[in-house]
Amino acid sequence: MEGDQETEVYTLVARKPSFDLPTACPNCLPAYIYLKLAKLPFELAFNSTFPDSDELPYFENGTYVAYNNEDGGVIEKLKKDGIVNLDAQLQSLPEYLSLKALIASWLEEALTYEIWVGTEGISTSKIYYSDLPWVISKVLFYKQTYMAKNRLGITKETAEQRETQIYKRAGEAYEALSTRLGEQKFLFEDRPSSLDAFLLSHMLFIIQVLPETSVLRCKLLEHNNLVRYAEKLKAEFLEASSSSPSPPLHSFPSSFTRKGSKPKSKPKVEKTEEEKKFKKRARFFIAAQFLAVVIYLSVMGGGSSDEPEYEDEDD
Amino acid sequence: MANPAETPDPNPSTPKLESEEIEEINGDEEEEEEEYEEEEDDGKPQTREDAIASRIQAASLFRRMRAAPVPVRVHDVIVKGNEKTKDHVIEAEVDVLREATTLQELLKASKVANFNLQALDIFDSVKITIDSGPPELPGTTNVVIHVVESKSPITGQIGTFTKAEARSSSLEGSLKYKNIFGYGDIWDGSLAYGCDHSAEVGLGMYLPRFRGRPTPFTSRVYLSTQEWLKFSSYKERALGLSFGLIASKYHELVYTTAWRNLIDPSQMASTSIRRQLGHNLVSALKYTFKFDKRNSPLRPTRGYSFISTSQIGGLAPDSRTLRFLRQEVDLRYAVPLGFYRAALNFGVSGGITFPWGSGYKSRASYVPERFFLGGNISPVCSLGGPSALWGFKTRGLGPNEPRREVQDEENGGTYERDFVGGDVAVTAFADLSFDFPVKWFRDRGIHGHVFACAGNMAELSENKYRKFSGPKFLETFRSSVGAGIVVPTSLFRMELNYCHILKKQEHDRAKSGLFMTFSTS
């Protein structure tokens, strides 16, 4: 589109909805819930052709984009760039860090295992491949399964041992979280945090997406208070209308500024200006040399002055 | 007096006419000397008297041929020398011989048959000899085809060519393995590298005859990457399989199925490009009608050409394949002016693409299938659709969007835009080429030209057709004029031009100055 118009519309680009969830992707759902908890009005757009991308979900506003594979994830980047930060006063608490470690490592591992190995990927076709042709779906499914196993360190020798370890840790994590939560509304008293977003996303996914035979699902359903917590938050934040611009729970700058947006260095190594110039000149020099040789050989050799005539072929 | 309707003398000592010599005899009636070669019969030495008698007979035959058609019937076509190649492969290329009813037609048909067999590219030499038929069947003749199969079935070659899709020239090296199974099959492996950092590796197969079809059958599996990061912030990778179903002089029909993946390693893409990143399956049929009566593809000085390419994608039971329609036309006309080999070339080309299927009006067209104008190829040589404009850089004009913002400490903000292509594009050019008065230049084909061109693009998909208006489209036309020198080399045609941009729009990558183009046929 020609013309720069920076709009104030926030958009979260995620994978497609399914299983009665606004987005069925376990990586995209936390960001969605986080924005809902922060009561930030935003639009939801979908990308259904890139199941193996780690850039999704991404948050955009005009030319500003926060990808999920930068700065620790979309939520961290939104906090860092001052868009929305629910953890401003919680980050220094030791419990925050330990819960974050628990959710980000043990629960995340358990969920990854259950999706790709435990349930043999039975839910993945609806989450990732609903808009892709069969051939591509199959190949990407095998690719993503292989990568998940690699990430979890699962091999033929370690499969059983890892499975036991993952389920055991998940069970212990649920126990700890259940104890920590009690009958509170949020993990940290009455204020939502990014950890609530991660935990709620984890639980909604397990309850609504994974089949009833899932071991992880059975373990989670043993903790009634966790289930109640999920249902309450879902009813309040996800099923309520998202169009009303109610004041945010945590104050953030009213005008959109990119506070603390440090210069982003591109993923590839920055070359100095001098190196770039030198390489460009070197390329031109070599090209000119080659050209000169070709022209000399062609022209001095008595280049073709007569153009080839077409022959009339008989059909 | 011998009956003109009679066949050549059934006497085995009748001189046999070889196709190469026949051309000289048939084509040049002004020559009084008639050359022909006598074939010796199974090693029996001819006596001097026999030789004189043969010459007299041949002379009498040629006089008869000049006077009136000499009726003849082809009794048999005999193929010799093919140890590996199947008989039916050779016979299919020489069917035209059986249809000849006169000796004159037979000579012409032999020329065509020779050409067809040479075109198979599996023989080192082809000789067609017309011999008299069996003595008991007067008025008949036998045609003997003697082929020498290629001794080294593997050949390699390196060349340059211009791919319209890549909008730039590329260098290709290939290895061919010929006639493995004796069906005239040619298998090739190729590696191509383009100036725009595109690369392709492919394996192909060519069959001159497939299940009785009249045209060759080709198939190719390829893996290619095209890097457009600098211009449009995406890189395209494709793994594809294509079948050439019809390939004749005017018509070409190709079916392609490919897995295409668009990625953005730089993570700097604009909104439209970001939305299109991901995997897609293309299943498309492409029909090309080409009618080229110009005297040269690199320096046309007379004639005209017309090419129309129609493409439909989404031909699969699965509705999730890419569905699009694409149409391109290109019309050229060259008028000779009669002095210094000057010629005026005109060209008009246009193209349109649009998605189809449910919700087609609001869906975005696929970026790699859109039109992009600009590049370092000459409009005179790029026949096939709107692609080149002098003075405008690769993908240097048309709809564009701002990239992702990056705050650079040094510059205080970077300006970068993605050119996202157009759904409709039109270009036109006029080029006056002329030889220089200096003989040295003329001998080497170096000539000059003066040109003018114009072009424009617009978006139609995603409901943008509602904002499209003809007057605005004409108002935003880009144009340039210039002059330059054209240097034809054995590998490519190089132009060194001075271009003056008459009209451009904001953000277009074009500026007046010296500009080089490289084109191959």
Side-chain angles (χ1 to χ4, degrees):
Chain A
M1 285 250 228
E2 293 175 316
D4 285 329
Q5 275 195 345
E6 182 147 323
T7 57
E8 291 293 325
V9 175
Y10 303 132
T11 307
L12 180 71
V13 180
R15 294 195 173 98
K16 285 189 82 172
S18 189
F19 298 104
D20 209 25
L21 288 171
T23 167
C25 165
N27 290 332
C28 304
L29 197 52
Y32 179 89
I33 293 174
Y34 182 76
L35 293 171
K36 283 294 182 186
L37 290 176
K39 297 195 177 175
L40 182 76
F42 67 97
E43 289 180 1
L44 193 56
F46 301 109
N47 178 315
S48 55
T49 58
F50 215 169
D52 54 335
S53 165
D54 56 358
E55 293 172 359
L56 285 165
Y58 58 86
F59 179 87
E60 58 183 30
N61 176 28
T63 55
Y64 169 79
V65 186
Y67 285 107
N68 198 42
N69 60 350
E70 294 172 338
D71 293 331
V74 174
I75 294 176
E76 286 303 317
K77 191 141 170 64
L78 292 177
K79 286 182 339 189
K80 197 169 139 189
D81 291 342
I83 313 285
V84 55
N85 187 356
L86 293 178
D87 303 345
Q89 289 164 14
L90 300 172
Q91 281 166 351
S92 51
L93 299 176
E95 298 144 321
Y96 173 86
L97 288 172
S98 54
L99 278 180
K100 185 174 177 181
L102 197 71
I103 294 172
S105 57
W106 287 7
L107 289 193
E108 201 265 327
E109 262 189 10
L111 190 59
T112 304
Y113 178 86
E114 197 68 352
I115 293 171
W116 297 104
V117 185
T119 57
E120 293 173 348
I122 198 171
S123 324
T124 54
S125 62
K126 272 194 173 176
I127 300 169
Y128 295 108
Y129 313 121
S130 58
D131 277 1
L132 287 174
W134 181 85
V135 170
I136 297 180
S137 310
K138 273 289 163 212
V139 175
L140 290 179
F141 170 73
Y142 289 126
K143 177 194 167 192
Q144 286 182 270
T145 306
Y146 172 78
M147 284 171 62
K149 286 183 179 173
N150 254 3
R151 210 160 56 234
L152 296 171
I154 295 175
T155 59
K156 277 187 189 160
E157 295 81 24
T158 64
E160 234 180 87
Q161 179 211 347
R162 276 297 278 152
E163 182 185 355
T164 313
Q165 186 183 51
I166 284 170
Y167 283 142
K168 180 168 172 282
R169 282 178 177 176
E172 287 170 2
Y174 291 147
E175 189 68 49
L177 285 164
S178 177
T179 307
R180 161 78 191 157
L181 184 68
E183 293 302 325
Q184 286 172 187
K185 188 176 177 188
F186 300 108
L187 280 173
F188 289 95
E189 295 168 14
D190 60 347
R191 59 196 317 157
S193 65
S194 66
L195 299 188
D196 289 295
F198 283 112
L199 181 60
L200 180 60
S201 159
H202 176 93
M203 287 172 39
L204 286 178
F205 188 90
I206 287 178
I207 294 169
Q208 292 185 215
V209 177
L210 294 183
E212 288 179 0
T213 50
S214 157
V215 170
L216 204 63
R217 191 171 188 271
C218 295
K219 284 188 182 289
L220 179 63
L221 292 178
E222 289 169 8
H223 303 279
N224 293 328
N225 68 329
L226 287 178
V227 176
R228 279 197 300 276
Y229 157 84
E231 281 169 2
K232 269 190 221 163
L233 291 187
K234 180 187 171 185
E236 182 175 343
F237 292 98
L238 300 192
E239 286 168 359
S241 163
S242 61
S243 58
S244 52
S246 43
L249 294 166
H250 179 79
S251 61
F252 60 93
S254 54
S255 63
F256 176 63
T257 57
R258 263 146 264 159
K259 190 172 67 173
S261 60
K262 292 178 189 167
K264 174 197 171 294
S265 57
K266 294 187 186 178
K268 41 187 184 177
V269 174
E270 285 279 349
K271 294 179 185 165
T272 62
E273 282 300 316
E274 274 184 28
E275 275 182 28
K276 279 187 204 168
K277 263 189 200 165
F278 176 75
K279 286 204 170 157
K280 202 174 173 183
R281 280 183 191 156
R283 254 183 263 138
F284 274 127
F285 178 73
I286 292 170
Q289 291 281 308
F290 173 73
L291 213 58
V293 169
V294 166
I295 291 170
Y296 176 80
L297 288 174
S298 299
V299 170
M300 289 303 169
S304 56
S305 52
D306 292 323
E307 297 294 340
E309 298 277 326
Y310 277 121
E311 290 183 50
D312 278 332
E313 294 176 21
D314 295 330
D315 277 341
Chain B
M1 184 175 143
N3 186 350
E6 273 187 356
T7 61
D9 197 332
N11 189 326
S13 68
T14 302
K16 296 175 193 176
L17 305 169
E18 291 195 351
S19 193
E20 295 88 332
E21 271 64 43
I22 287 165
E23 195 175 324
E24 292 176 37
I25 296 161
N26 217 20
D28 198 349
E29 294 183 353
E30 291 173 5
E31 277 199 10
E32 294 187 4
E33 287 185 24
E34 293 148 5
E35 295 180 358
Y36 66 94
E37 198 175 286
E38 286 192 15
E39 287 283 334
E40 295 190 350
D41 247 354
D42 298 327
K44 288 180 193 171
Q46 277 194 323
T47 60
R48 188 180 158 78
E49 290 75 18
D50 283 340
I52 293 171
S54 296
R55 278 206 200 95
I56 293 169
Q57 281 171 356
S60 133
L61 174 64
F62 297 143
R63 272 197 300 277
R64 280 167 54 203
M65 281 171 62
R66 282 211 189 104
V70 178
V72 77
R73 186 174 67 82
V74 174
H75 173 254
D76 199 8
V77 175
I78 301 160
V79 179
K80 290 183 181 174
N82 55 323
E83 291 165 9
K84 199 165 45 169
T85 315
K86 308 278 185 266
D87 279 351
H88 68 83
V89 172
I90 298 172
E91 283 163 12
E93 302 297 329
V94 300
D95 266 346
V96 62
L97 290 169
R98 295 186 189 277
E99 293 161 14
T101 53
T102 67
L103 195 57
Q104 287 86 343
E105 279 177 19
L106 189 57
L107 294 174
K108 270 190 194 165
S110 306
K111 186 175 147 188
V112 171
N114 192 309
F115 179 84
N116 288 350
L117 288 172
Q118 298 276 12
L120 286 179
D121 204 23
I122 55 174
F123 302 120
D124 280 343
S125 75
V126 175
K127 273 187 192 169
I128 299 182
T129 309
I130 300 174
D131 197 3
S132 48
E136 61 274 16
L137 292 175
T140 61
T141 181
N142 284 344
V143 180
V144 180
I145 301 171
H146 191 90
V147 299
V148 175
E149 289 170 337
S150 294
K151 288 192 179 44
S152 59
I154 298 181
T155 55
Q157 64 185 47
I158 294 180
T160 55
F161 64 97
T162 302
K163 279 197 292 190
E165 289 85 12
R167 307 289 192 271
S168 74
S169 305
S170 56
L171 183 69
E172 181 183 283
S174 65
L175 271 181
K176 287 187 186 176
Y177 199 160
K178 300 181 187 176
N179 212 11
I180 300 177
F181 301 109
Y183 291 97
D185 47 297
I186 298 178
W187 303 79
D188 73 278
S190 66
L191 189 62
Y193 188 76
C195 300
D196 53 356
H197 306 290
S198 62
E200 183 185 294
V201 59
L203 292 172
M205 184 206 59
Y206 170 89
L207 267 182
R209 298 279 161 181
F210 181 61
R211 292 184 178 270
R213 295 156 53 84
T215 61
F217 174 81
T218 56
S219 70
R220 182 162 203 82
V221 61
Y222 61 91
L223 179 65
S224 69
T225 65
Q226 287 206 328
E227 192 162 313
W228 300 112
L229 279 174
K230 193 172 151 192
F231 314 104
S232 306
S233 295
Y234 74 87
K235 203 166 158 178
E236 182 189 337
R237 283 189 206 143
L239 172 65
L241 176 64
S242 69
F243 298 103
L245 304 171
I246 294 174
S248 68
K249 189 177 173 190
Y250 300 120
H251 309 280
E252 191 184 25
L253 187 66
V254 177
Y255 170 76
T256 303
T257 181
W259 176 347
R260 277 189 182 164
N261 186 18
L262 302 188
I263 58 171
D264 173 24
S266 68
Q267 292 190 185
M268 294 296 296
S270 55
T271 309
S272 294
I273 302 294
R274 276 202 300 270
R275 292 282 189 276
Q276 299 228 0
L277 298 178
H279 303 271
N280 270 294
L281 186 68
V282 174
S283 172
L285 201 59
K286 182 170 163 182
Y287 167 69
T288 307
F289 171 74
K290 186 173 174 180
F291 190 82
D292 195 344
K293 290 292 179 195
R294 298 173 302 169
N295 60 338
S296 162
L298 289 180
R299 188 188 173 180
T301 53
R302 68 170 188 277
Y304 58 94
S305 71
F306 173 75
I307 185 167
S308 160
T309 307
S310 311
Q311 209 172 347
I312 175 165
L315 298 175
D318 198 330
S319 62
R320 296 169 290 191
T321 52
L322 208 63
R323 291 180 160 182
F324 66 94
L325 294 168
R326 197 169 195 261
Q327 175 65 46
E328 292 174 276
V329 291
D330 204 327
L331 181 63
R332 304 288 172 93
Y333 195 79
V335 179
L337 297 179
F339 56 90
Y340 284 125
R341 220 171 140 221
L344 203 52
N345 265 278
F346 297 104
V348 172
S349 62
I352 186 166
T353 181
F354 215 79
W356 65 272
S358 62
Y360 70 97
K361 285 183 188 173
S362 54
R363 218 175 334 131
S365 54
Y366 192 47
V367 168
E369 294 300 333
R370 292 183 190 168
F371 295 97
F372 294 89
L373 299 181
N376 63 343
I377 51 174
S378 169
V380 176
C381 307
S382 60
L383 183 68
S387 60
L389 280 181
W390 282 292
F392 289 83
K393 294 191 178 168
T394 305
R395 294 197 172 193
L397 67 115
N400 56 82
E401 289 180 14
R403 284 182 182 163
R404 182 189 184 193
E405 66 164 46
V406 167
Q407 283 197 345
D408 196 312
E409 277 175 350
E410 290 165 10
N411 299 340
T414 57
Y415 167 81
E416 295 263 14
R417 296 188 80 87
D418 279 340
F419 284 84
V420 300
D423 298 311
V424 63
V426 175
T427 61
F429 77 88
D431 177 276
L432 169 67
S433 63
F434 48 88
D435 275 343
F436 291 123
V438 179
K439 190 176 182 297
W440 189 88
F441 287 122
R442 276 205 308 273
D443 289 344
R444 283 152 186 78
I446 299 174
H447 59 278
H449 71 147
V450 178
F451 55 81
C453 63
N456 201 5
M457 293 202 292
E459 287 178 292
L460 297 177
S461 55
E462 275 187 301
N463 289 319
K464 286 173 190 164
Y465 66 92
R466 293 175 189 166
K467 292 185 208 163
F468 176 84
S469 80
K472 194 182 168 195
F473 188 70
L474 288 173
E475 204 183 288
T476 52
F477 244 83
R478 282 79 164 169
S479 57
S480 67
V481 294
I485 300 173
V486 180
V487 179
T489 71
S490 52
L491 287 178
F492 46 76
R493 164 187 156 128
M494 186 181 82
E495 291 180 14
L496 179 62
N497 303 318
Y498 177 82
C499 298
H500 174 69
I501 307 295
L502 289 177
K503 193 172 177 196
K504 64 175 185 175
Q505 301 298 315
E506 192 190 5
H507 306 302
D508 283 356
R509 291 183 188 150
K511 63 177 185 183
S512 301
L514 288 177
F515 201 69
M516 278 176 94
T517 69
F518 300 92
S519 312
T520 58
S521 57

